[in-house]
Amino acid sequence: YKRILLGSCVWKAGKHNACTRKLSICCIIKLLEKALLARKMVSQNYNDLLAIMKSCLDDEWSPELRLTACGLIKQVMVSVQTFFSEFDLSNIYPLLLARLDDSQDAIRVEACVAIEVFLSIIKLPWSSSSFSYIVKTLFIHFDDSNPIIQKAAEKVLRLSLIHI
């Protein structure tokens, strides 16, 4: 897992390498979905995985990679939620909030879905300032010109009500 899949997710120049990164992330997602990747292995390599997720989410040239990376974050949270510390979670939510400003609406919707998962796994009480920042950011997108983004933001805001 670490040498093959995570190694293939590391940024290298070229379109071919971007495709390899995306496919490697898809493989990790499927392994997590099917519970074929041990949760302990994911948690032991979490820092490497986080660096890869950050890199992929910031890839300006490949919207498909950014979309897939949002899906990876969501699946990692679903699959290994009990291993997340508060510090781990504090590293994830800014990545997702940044994707709410993506130029691609599909990525923005997927970021909202990932934020839903995030809110469902945080342990209460959680940082009130971080929670407040998430809600304020979502309200900005609740007023988006695209009704699909509005609905996605509304769904997350409704879920956030359980944390108030």
Side-chain angles (χ1 to χ4, degrees), residues 5 16 21 25 34 38 42 52 57 59 65 77 85 89 93-94 102 106 109 112 125 131 136 140 162 164:
L5 290 176
H16 172 74
R21 288 174 78 194
I25 290 172
K34 304 290 183 187
V42 175
I52 287 166
L57 284 170
D59 192 310
L65 185 59
M77 287 188 295
S85 68
L89 292 172
Y93 83 87
D102 200 281
V109 170
C112 282
F131 180 73
K136 286 177 184 177
I140 292 169
I162 65 170
I164 295 177

Side-chain angles (χ1 to χ4, degrees), residues 1-2 6 28 31-32 35-50 53 72 75-77 79-81 83-84 88:
Y1 157 75
K2 185 173 183 173
L6 289 183
I28 295 169
L31 288 170
L32 290 169
L36 297 172
L37 191 56
R39 292 167 50 167
K40 186 175 181 181
M41 185 179 294
V42 175
S43 67
Q44 288 172 340
N45 295 290
Y46 177 73
N47 289 333
D48 294 332
L49 188 57
L50 180 64
M53 291 187 294
L72 176 60
Q75 192 58 48
V76 167
M77 287 188 295
S79 299
V80 296
Q81 57 187 279
F83 285 100
F84 283 116
D88 294 333

Side-chain angles (χ1 to χ4, degrees), residues 13-33:
K15 237 180 185 179
H16 172 74
N17 290 319
C19 184
T20 301
R21 288 174 78 194
K22 180 184 170 200
L23 292 174
S24 296
I25 290 172
C26 288
C27 287
I28 295 169
I29 291 170
K30 286 297 175 192
L31 288 170
L32 290 169
E33 284 176 351

Side-chain angles (χ1 to χ4, degrees), residues 65-112:
L65 185 59
R66 293 193 309 273
L67 180 64
T68 307
C70 280
L72 176 60
I73 288 179
K74 177 180 71 179
Q75 192 58 48
V76 167
M77 287 188 295
V78 167
S79 299
V80 296
Q81 57 187 279
T82 56
F83 285 100
F84 283 116
S85 68
E86 190 168 327
F87 179 76
D88 294 333
L89 292 172
S90 69
N91 283 316
I92 290 176
Y93 83 87
L95 302 175
L96 296 173
L97 292 179
R99 287 302 100 214
L100 292 176
D101 291 324
D102 200 281
S103 61
Q104 303 290 316
D105 287 342
I107 296 168
R108 297 169 70 203
V109 170
E110 186 67 15
C112 282

